[in-house]
Amino acid sequence: MGTAITFKRPDGKDASGYLANAARGNAPGVVVIQEWWGLSDQIKGLCDRFALAGFDALAPDLYKGKVVPYHDTDSANKEMNSLDFMDATTQTVRGAVQYLSRNGAKVGLTGFCLGGAVTIIGAVHVPELAAGVVFYGIPPEQAAKPADVKIPLQAHFANKDDWCTPELVNGFEKAMKAAGKSLELFRYDAEHAFVNEQRQAVHDREAAELAWGRATEFFRKHLG
């Protein structure tokens, strides 16, 4: 449904990504950030789904063409740990946001796992954003303090998550509330990555559909 595109980062360098456009011409935008596997077909499918829901959706390719197979967690971990999160967010992700906002559209940011952490970093460091939806990812506080978040956030976390643990989530929620920030937070009795329908071991269709409905409703409210 979508297409591969090239867009400019604020520093003038080229970045690539997958773009799916809504049927209407003046649609709001959503930038979609990958899991630690890379810009997989599953993430492209989410862009297509956002487009059908009425949003122009762009997933920037943070790994520059590399996609890790689902069984190879060691390689995924290596790719994620070698990613410069601040450069990826303030340059590649911001460039994607600027691309979608060029006609005056409001733009939101969402991401999964690694992309959830990037979404929170973007909520602090990307000024063009209007809203963010986080899926099971939280960055270290030195990358993005909850007190510095500048946009309304919605967040979805899994109670059986051993990476983005319930303790981490509780700390994030507490810090956001203490700072008086706008946060809608939902917990699901599911595993990490429960939205990814290509990973049957962790996919929870009921939780995924509930989260999807909440996310699209949130974006309609804040992006128009």
Side-chain angles (χ1 to χ4, degrees):
M1 181 174 166
T3 184
I5 67 157
T6 302
F7 58 92
K8 289 288 183 194
R9 297 170 18 131
D11 63 7
K13 292 179 186 172
D14 283 336
S16 59
Y18 177 85
L19 174 69
N21 285 123
R24 66 188 177 108
N26 60 340
V30 176
V31 173
V32 182
I33 309 300
Q34 66 197 48
E35 296 180 300
W36 69 345
W37 312 108
L39 183 47
S40 63
D41 287 341
Q42 193 267 338
I43 294 294
K44 292 176 181 176
L46 285 170
C47 289
D48 294 343
R49 198 172 175 191
F50 270 118
L52 289 170
F55 303 91
D56 290 340
L58 173 56
D61 185 357
L62 302 188
Y63 287 177
K64 299 174 181 168
K66 172 95 174 172
V67 179
V68 179
Y70 285 133
H71 65 271
D72 195 352
T73 53
D74 287 345
S75 291
N77 196 41
K78 185 178 158 200
E79 289 295 329
M80 182 174 77
N81 286 333
S82 63
L83 181 69
D84 182 337
F85 274 74
M86 292 309 291
D87 177 78
T89 306
T90 61
Q91 293 295 330
T92 306
V93 174
R94 189 179 179 195
V97 173
Q98 289 173 338
Y99 179 89
L100 290 180
S101 66
R102 67 198 188 284
N103 294 328
K106 286 186 178 177
V107 180
L109 178 62
T110 191
F112 303 80
C113 169
L114 173 160
V118 167
T119 299
I120 295 172
I121 299 171
V124 172
H125 295 286
V126 179
E128 294 87 354
L129 284 171
V133 177
V134 179
F135 286 86
Y136 32 79
I138 296 173
E141 278 219 5
Q142 60 264 32
K145 290 187 179 70
D148 295 333
V149 167
K150 296 180 174 71
I151 55 173
L153 286 181
Q154 185 183 78
H156 304 271
F157 296 105
N159 291 332
K160 301 174 191 171
D161 197 326
D162 58 5
W163 181 67
C164 193
T165 62
E167 293 75 27
L168 201 62
V169 173
N170 290 341
F172 175 70
E173 182 181 35
K174 192 175 173 184
M176 286 285 286
K177 277 185 177 166
K181 299 297 175 178
S182 174
L183 175 68
E184 286 181 14
L185 191 142
F186 299 100
R187 293 173 174 83
Y188 303 83
D189 198 23
E191 309 270 352
H192 181 79
F194 66 83
V195 172
N196 190 336
E197 74 283 353
Q198 290 186 349
R199 298 185 59 217
Q200 288 302 315
V202 294
H203 179 56
D204 185 317
R205 185 175 177 184
E206 190 177 341
E209 289 306 308
L210 183 56
W212 174 261
R214 286 166 168 168
T216 50
E217 188 180 328
F218 184 81
F219 277 142
R220 285 192 187 102
K221 175 182 167 185
H222 291 286
L223 306 180

